[in-house]
């Protein structure tokens, strides 16, 4: 039996990196006042299909939709924002605004698997609900950058930002874009022709080489922004400058989901090939309204954990704890080993018990292979004398330690 395409069995060093990434984000998000939320892995079909955009790739091609045995149409979550908006409404949290949520968990998209792109992947995200302030956009982007700084990844990354303006500005821009692309229809790919009908802004996001020149000559949204939208974006950029964040304005950045307005941003890298987006998000003032709730201006982002883990590479802090082995020499040692293990419970280390009658020499070899730092031999002699011999496998040095001092001794060494 094989695992499904685009999925992974995570273990060893890889999962330690995931933990490091998650614990860094969790701690940092906490200091910005974000509280953890965990929503279901599947939702009713309309949670995504009504909100992310009919013409978005995510809804058109990538959701895992299924009927359960009770004939309910459900969808495995492809992202975390719509479920949080749904939870906000179904848990009746309207009186508690503003709300700040942090989340971590698996997401599912039926995409063509490749480097950095999986069908089950993990996101870390934040959602700040009920905040109309441009300063909140900057604060969330600052948090994202700080997160990557703490992981040591900022030298390999950059912030790209853009504005989609309010719906008024976007409607005027849409008309101009349609006019432009209609006039050059013969140069558009099949995908872009569909987008021209459903969501022309998404053409700007096209990776098709044949239409890049056409796209770079297309009208720019900046020229269609009304005063209010321009001022809003200027305030976000001023804050980012004030914080000293290195960002660049990318006027083609439109993102792949329809709920965005005003600020959108991505943190990207050149080091992961085609899948260079590490983290992305933006403002979604209309999402909760589309779901039948009140107008709730909001901002959020999500990061791809697999991509961050790959960028972390091998040299990172996700190091193992020091490892101690308790090596039993005979039956008396076996009878006492768990008791000794219990005495080491409060130490920041891994304790491995090497049982069995394979012989002490063989067990030392095994301990070496397992990467143990210290080995304590435990047999009849040690049990009787209340004295233990500890061997440091990295230096070869042996020390005699009184049984009642063993925990304190390890504590001083670790
Ligand atoms: P997104 O850009 O679709 O945004 O996904 C966020 C991040 O998830 C991406 O930058 C990427 O690192 C990672 N990602 C996406 N798809 C895959 C995949 N197939 N395999 C591996 N990693 C992937 C959202 O999902 C929005 N909900 C973000 C947001 C939150 N906007 C507002 N609030």
């Amino acid at each position: 039996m094989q695992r499904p395409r685009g999925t992974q069995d995570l273990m060893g060093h890889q999962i330690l990196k995931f933990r490091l990434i998650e614990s860094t984000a969790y701690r940092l998000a906490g200091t910005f006042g974000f509280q953890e939320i965990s929503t279901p892995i599947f939702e009713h079909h309309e949670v995504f299909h009504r909100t992310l955009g009919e013409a978005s790739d995510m809804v058109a091609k990538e959701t895992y939709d299924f009927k359960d045995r009770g004939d309910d149409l459900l969808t495995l979550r492809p992202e975390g924002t719509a479920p949080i908006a749904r939870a906000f409404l179904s848990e009746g949290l309207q009186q508690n605004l503003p709300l700040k949520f942090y989340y971590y968990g698996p997401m599912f998209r039926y995409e063509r698997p490749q480097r950095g792109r999986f069908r089950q992947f993990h996101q870390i995200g934040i959602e700040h609900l009920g905040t109309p302030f441009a300063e909140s956009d900057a604060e969330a982007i600052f948090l994202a950058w700080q997160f990557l700084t703490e992981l040591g990844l900022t030298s390999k990354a950059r912030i790209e930002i853009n504005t989609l303006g309010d719906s008024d500005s976007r409607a005027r821009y849409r008309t101009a874009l349609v006019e432009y692309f209609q006039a050059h229809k013969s140069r558009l790919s099949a995908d872009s022709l569909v987008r021209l009908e459903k969501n022309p802004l998404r053409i700007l996001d096209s990776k098709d080489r044949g239409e890049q020149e056409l796209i770079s000559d297309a009208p720019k949204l900046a020229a269609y922004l009304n005063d209010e939208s321009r001022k809003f974006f200027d305030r976000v950029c001023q804050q980012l400058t004030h914080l000293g964040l290195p960002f660049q304005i990318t006027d083609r950045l439109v993102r792949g989901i329809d709920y965005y307005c005003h600020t959108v941003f991505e943190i990207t890298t050149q080091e992961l090939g085609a899948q260079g987006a590490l983290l992305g998000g933006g403002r979604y003032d209309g999402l909760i309204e589309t779901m039948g709730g009140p107008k709730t201006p909001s901002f959020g982002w999500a990061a791809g954990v697999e991509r961050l883990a790959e960028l972390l590479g091998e040299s990172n802090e996700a190091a193992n704890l020091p490892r101690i082995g308790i090596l039993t020499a005979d039956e008396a040692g076996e009878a006492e080993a768990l008791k000794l293990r219990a005495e080491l419970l409060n130490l920041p280390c891994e304790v491995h018990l090497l049982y069995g009658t394979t012989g002490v020499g063989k067990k030392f070899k095994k301990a070496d292979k397992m990467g143990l730092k210290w080995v304590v031999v435990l047999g009849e002699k040690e049990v009787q004398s209340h004295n233990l011999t500890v061997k440091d496998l990295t230096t070869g040095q042996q020390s005699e330690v009184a049984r009642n001092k063993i925990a304190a001794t390890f504590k001083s060494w670790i």
Side-chain angles (χ1 to χ4, degrees), residues 166 168-169 172 224-234 262:
D166 59 7
D168 211 47
S169 311
R172 288 192 294 136
Y224 295 83
L225 290 178
N226 56 23
D227 260 11
E228 216 178 302
S229 299
R230 180 180 308 285
K231 276 189 194 144
F232 190 91
F233 190 53
D234 284 348
H262 290 289

Side-chain angles (χ1 to χ4, degrees), residues 116-254:
R117 191 157 79 189
F118 302 91
R119 290 183 172 170
Q120 174 173 333
F121 61 99
H122 296 76
Q123 279 188 349
I124 282 171
I126 57 151
E127 310 295 349
H128 189 170
L129 306 184
T131 178
F133 309 111
E135 287 69 19
S136 298
D137 304 23
E139 184 188 6
I141 296 171
F142 175 47
L143 167 55
W145 191 249
Q146 193 53 36
F147 169 42
L148 297 196
T149 304
E150 293 199 11
L151 290 174
L153 298 179
T154 39
S155 65
K156 298 171 183 169
R158 62 177 185 187
I159 306 172
E160 299 184 56
I161 185 170
N162 192 22
T163 179
L164 303 178
D166 59 7
S167 47
D168 211 47
S169 311
R170 257 191 333 280
R172 288 192 294 136
Y173 180 53
R174 191 180 197 278
T175 311
L177 261 193
V178 171
E179 215 168 89
Y180 171 80
F181 284 123
Q182 283 285 4
H184 299 92
K185 240 176 152 172
S186 59
R187 290 167 65 192
L188 287 178
S189 65
D191 266 357
S192 291
L193 283 171
V194 175
R195 288 174 180 152
L196 185 57
E197 296 300 318
K198 294 187 169 168
N199 186 351
L201 254 78
R202 296 273 299 123
I203 299 177
L204 303 179
D205 208 23
S206 159
K207 305 282 180 292
D208 192 302
R209 279 165 190 260
E211 51 195 15
Q212 295 308 307
E213 204 184 310
L214 186 65
I215 290 171
S216 57
D217 291 343
K220 304 280 179 274
L221 197 140
Y224 295 83
L225 290 178
N226 56 23
D227 260 11
E228 216 178 302
S229 299
R230 180 180 308 285
K231 276 189 194 144
F232 190 91
F233 190 53
D234 284 348
R235 269 176 44 207
V236 178
C237 294
Q238 271 161 18
Q239 285 295 321
L240 296 180
T241 309
H242 202 43
L243 288 163
L245 299 196
F247 68 96
Q248 69 175 56
I249 297 174
T250 303
D251 54 24
R252 278 181 58 173
L253 180 67
V254 290

